[in-house]
Amino acid sequence: AYARKYVNPRLSRGAGEVIQKFYMKLRCEHSSADSTPITTRQLESLVRLCEARARLELRETVTAADAAEVVEVMKFSLFDAVTDEFDGLNFARSQHGSGMSKTAMAKKLVALLNREAEASYNTLFTVDQIKRTAQQAGLRVANFSDFPNSLNQPGYLFKKEARLYPPTTASVSSTELT
């Protein structure tokens, strides 16, 4: 609360140059039609993050080192926004904010599978059934053959048998089947 009220950092010349250089580089590299659009919103975010970084240390001046750290975070964030669940680059994910993160896609798919499990009293899904559910929901996955396995590691799906997966919260008991 103290920092928010009393510390109002200003950009130093060095910090401004670091931010400007990075922003201009992004604008040049991402100016084609098939890349992530870079807008002034990213520039404003860079400035706010730099100010927050300095405020964290109760400093009134944003240093070039603060700006460099924020640039590294932004690079990682931008790279993460365009990588798919197999660490391949998929620029279509980030076009005009229409992409869906791996986590959001996994949660949506598991929710759909749970709904389907409740409706059909079937708690095991084949890869083909998972693929069909994902396609019906409009989830785009670059390489679907590895997708269920990638959901197995963070615990969204658990592999029961060869190519059979129950969603993690499927709760149809054997007494409900009678």
Side-chain angles (χ1 to χ4, degrees), residues 84-112:
D84 60 20
E85 61 276 1
F86 308 107
D87 292 328
L89 294 178
N90 182 359
F91 289 99
R93 280 190 70 233
S94 63
Q95 290 298 308
H96 312 294
S98 63
M100 183 179 269
S101 74
K102 293 178 267 188
T103 303
M105 190 182 326
K107 286 180 180 180
K108 182 175 181 179
L109 180 60
V110 169
L112 292 168

Side-chain angles (χ1 to χ4, degrees), residues 113-128:
L113 291 173
N114 279 320
R115 225 177 291 138
E116 195 172 316
E118 289 174 10
S120 67
Y121 299 107
N122 177 21
T123 60
L124 292 177
F125 296 93
T126 65
V127 172
D128 290 335

